[in-house]
Amino acid sequence: MTGPDPHFTTIIEPFRIKAVEPIRFTTREQRQAALEAAGYNLFGLHADDVLIDLLTDSGTGAMSSEQWAGMQRGDESYAGGRSFFRFEAAVQGITGLKQVLPTHQGRAAERILCGVALKPGDIVPNNTHFDTTRANVEAVGAVALDLPIVEARRPAAEHPFKGNMDVEALKQVLEREGVRVPLVMLTVTNNSGGGQPVSMANMRAVSAVCHEHGVPLFLDCCRYAENAYFIKLREEGYADKTPREIAREMFALVDGATMSAKKDGMANIGGFLALNDDGLAEKARNLLILSEGFPTYGGLAGYDLEALAVGLEEALEEPYLRYRLRSVEYLGERLKAADIPLVLPTGGHAIYLDAGALLPHVPGSEYPAWALSCVLYLEGGVRSVEIGSVMFGRQPDGSEKPAALELVRLAFPRRTYTQSHVDYLAEVLLHVGAMRERIRGVRMTQAPAVLRHFTARFEPAHGALVV
Ligand SMILES: Cc1ncc(COP(=O)(O)O)c(C=O)c1O
């Protein structure tokens, strides 16, 4: 049986807690002071000043007792360690991909792939590039081209697979510019587009178009297990398949994958590049040695590889996936009932508030999503992240263009918070929603040249965030 007795409908956390970590309560005055010290950038806060930390689901989850046990087995040999072979077998077992290169996290896999496969002037289509993927593509002088379906740009439009790629648009790019496209990527789930899944049908269509044009397809597979479970729930013909079977089918359509194992690897650090092309893999290994380490540890400790070998399988367990997706959906239902605009349907790992719709009186130039994320911290000690014009507004030529959407993402760490935390979140969000008219925007006072959202500094554009 994969869930509780069918007579009972409550979806419970499918684990019990063995180690606890206290969280610290602060006053609004303390949070105001912390915000000022951090230059109104939530990345600059001390984590101890945060009550519920939904900045990211990346590397922030709780490991299982099996993972901790696995870590005791970690083989720290520099070359050919046992732990690598366990990790490699886990990745090959799930993905069916031949060559497996461990990396310290996802962006290292991206950097290595971009380093060996791209050259200046190339184009990389993706449903939507994540920020590090975009930055790595652009760092080699190539163009990161987002081709989401139109529904992805409409937060309130319900679509079961809003992460899908626009296959027609891809065809046109390949027909027009094929020689400039060394690879195509699909991000599952589509993080920047709302944590939305990609359907198997869409993956199949994208794969067919790529292969007709002789272009390899790579998955950015950080949340492959969540994507597989959405397919099980929503796509015809998959209800009786296991998430593992579905994941295997997804990977069979692609030529390679980059992975941040800090997500569905259920670990605090790690990643990999997996691919079938032996020649490309050899080039990638040479680059891996240059910056990450020997190919059987790739920037990780042997014990990390053990934690990943276990975690990659645990992410595919149905009771876990059911509880995880339901927690997010539950919060989404509470917000929808209170008319708080958000990306619908809710995604796998996060709630995405539509700050553009919630704060129509805050102009794009005053970064409404950034301001909203600061107010969530100020009012409730909740840390979220802006996915809007601060993250995506600056263009490669230095000019400024408002992002297509002004979103605030509340990402759920895996196996970390319980139902009462989610109820508290609902209360904070409803409170902030009720004061929407009093929220004001921010002004950027300092920013680095790339990935500015991590370190830029801000101040309230009208004296205070809440007037
Ligand atoms: C879709 C996606 N791709 C790539 C990455 C980068 O992974 P990492 O943070 O491990 O470098 C992330 C991280 O959040 C992500 O969500």
Side-chain angles (χ1 to χ4, degrees):
M1 195 151 93
T2 56
D5 190 296
H7 290 107
F8 303 117
T9 54
T10 311
I11 294 175
I12 62 169
E13 288 88 357
F15 49 79
R16 55 186 177 179
I17 296 166
K18 194 175 258 183
V20 294
E21 183 183 12
I23 48 179
R24 200 168 79 85
F25 295 91
T26 51
T27 63
R28 192 178 189 279
E29 288 67 37
Q30 286 170 325
R31 293 193 292 275
Q32 176 63 48
L35 262 183
E36 281 169 24
Y40 289 85
N41 186 331
L42 301 183
F43 283 99
L45 292 174
H46 286 222
D48 278 350
D49 292 333
V50 176
L51 187 64
I52 307 275
D53 203 346
L54 306 185
L55 182 70
T56 174
D57 63 322
S58 181
T60 50
M63 291 211 296
S64 68
S65 48
E66 279 306 307
Q67 285 179 292
W68 284 108
M71 287 178 78
Q72 291 294 323
R73 286 197 305 265
D75 177 354
E76 304 304 338
S77 302
Y78 189 93
R82 268 189 323 274
S83 303
F84 169 72
F85 295 108
R86 276 205 196 95
F87 166 78
E88 182 186 51
V91 176
Q92 287 171 337
I94 291 166
T95 66
L97 295 165
K98 259 196 315 187
Q99 305 273 0
V100 180
L101 287 71
T103 59
H104 79 280
Q105 54 186 99
R107 68 197 68 186
E110 292 161 4
R111 194 189 63 81
I112 290 168
L113 178 63
C114 292
V116 295
L118 308 186
K119 58 181 188 321
D122 282 346
I123 301 172
V124 179
N126 197 326
N127 45 353
T128 309
H129 287 81
F130 184 66
D131 60 353
T132 58
T133 327
R134 169 173 291 279
N136 273 302
V137 168
E138 290 173 353
V140 295
V143 178
L145 181 66
D146 290 343
L147 300 177
I149 55 170
V150 285
E151 289 84 350
R153 304 246 191 244
R154 297 187 202 128
E158 297 259 5
H159 184 292
F161 291 102
K162 250 176 156 173
N164 283 355
M165 182 180 262
D166 182 336
V167 182
E168 271 314 304
L170 175 67
K171 264 190 207 159
Q172 284 172 21
V173 171
L174 288 173
E175 270 153 31
R176 249 189 357 248
E177 311 261 20
V179 287
R180 289 177 64 200
V181 181
L183 61 94
V184 172
M185 292 189 84
L186 263 181
T187 305
V188 295
T189 56
N190 186 359
N191 185 2
S192 308
Q196 301 290 328
V198 178
S199 70
M200 192 70 81
N202 188 254
M203 276 183 249
R204 213 175 284 125
V206 169
S207 172
V209 171
C210 288
H211 294 138
E212 262 163 45
H213 289 81
V215 175
L217 174 62
F218 276 72
L219 276 191
D220 174 344
C221 67
C222 302
R223 299 178 181 83
Y224 71 97
E226 290 168 12
N227 202 91
Y229 198 59
F230 274 122
I231 289 175
K232 180 178 170 80
L233 295 178
R234 296 182 184 168
E235 193 161 351
E236 215 182 308
Y238 289 92
D240 296 328
K241 297 206 166 159
T242 64
R244 195 176 211 284
E245 287 166 338
I246 298 170
R248 192 59 193 259
E249 193 174 329
M250 285 161 49
F251 284 107
L253 296 168
V254 303
D255 305 278
T258 58
M259 168 81 176
S260 169
K262 300 168 75 175
K263 284 83 171 174
D264 282 353
M266 310 290 266
N268 301 121
I269 196 74
F272 62 77
L273 170 63
L275 64 172
N276 282 332
D277 181 331
D278 296 338
L280 202 60
E282 193 184 327
K283 283 191 202 156
R285 274 202 187 89
N286 290 334
L287 206 50
L288 182 84
I289 292 177
L290 201 62
S291 62
E292 292 282 292
F294 193 73
T296 59
Y297 72 87
L300 295 170
Y303 55 69
D304 294 322
L305 294 168
E306 292 282 350
L308 288 171
V310 178
L312 286 163
E313 300 287 354
E314 286 182 351
L316 290 166
E317 287 170 7
E318 270 195 69
Y320 156 72
L321 286 167
R322 183 186 302 115
Y323 129 84
R324 177 158 176 78
L325 268 50
R326 178 60 195 147
S327 301
V328 177
E329 187 183 47
Y330 166 83
L331 183 56
E333 286 168 4
R334 297 279 307 267
L335 300 183
K336 196 174 167 191
D339 276 333
I340 297 189
L342 74 160
V343 174
L344 291 170
T346 46
H349 67 294
I351 289 284
Y352 291 70
L353 302 175
D354 182 356
L358 186 76
L359 307 176
H361 56 284
V362 178
S365 56
E366 292 181 8
Y367 305 117
W370 195 272
L372 179 62
S373 69
C374 289
V375 173
L376 290 175
Y377 173 69
L378 182 65
E379 296 298 320
V382 174
R383 179 153 69 169
S384 54
V385 72
E386 187 250 27
I387 301 198
S389 292
V390 176
M391 191 179 271
F392 291 122
R394 175 144 54 192
Q395 306 305 299
D397 65 3
S399 65
E400 195 78 21
K401 183 173 140 207
L405 295 173
E406 298 288 354
L407 303 177
V408 171
R409 186 188 74 178
L410 298 131
F412 285 48
R414 292 170 178 74
R415 305 186 291 206
T416 303
Y417 294 114
T418 63
Q419 180 62 29
S420 63
H421 293 112
V422 180
D423 281 320
Y424 171 79
L425 282 170
E427 204 181 337
V428 171
L429 290 165
L430 265 52
H431 164 77
V432 169
M435 60 195 273
R436 60 183 86 182
E437 278 151 24
R438 294 168 49 214
I439 297 174
R440 296 292 177 269
V442 292
R443 178 184 309 120
M444 198 183 292
T445 55
Q446 215 176 296
V450 286
L451 296 175
R452 64 183 179 180
H453 52 287
F454 288 126
T455 52
R457 293 182 73 84
F458 299 81
E459 62 187 16
H462 302 278
L465 285 175
V466 181
V467 295

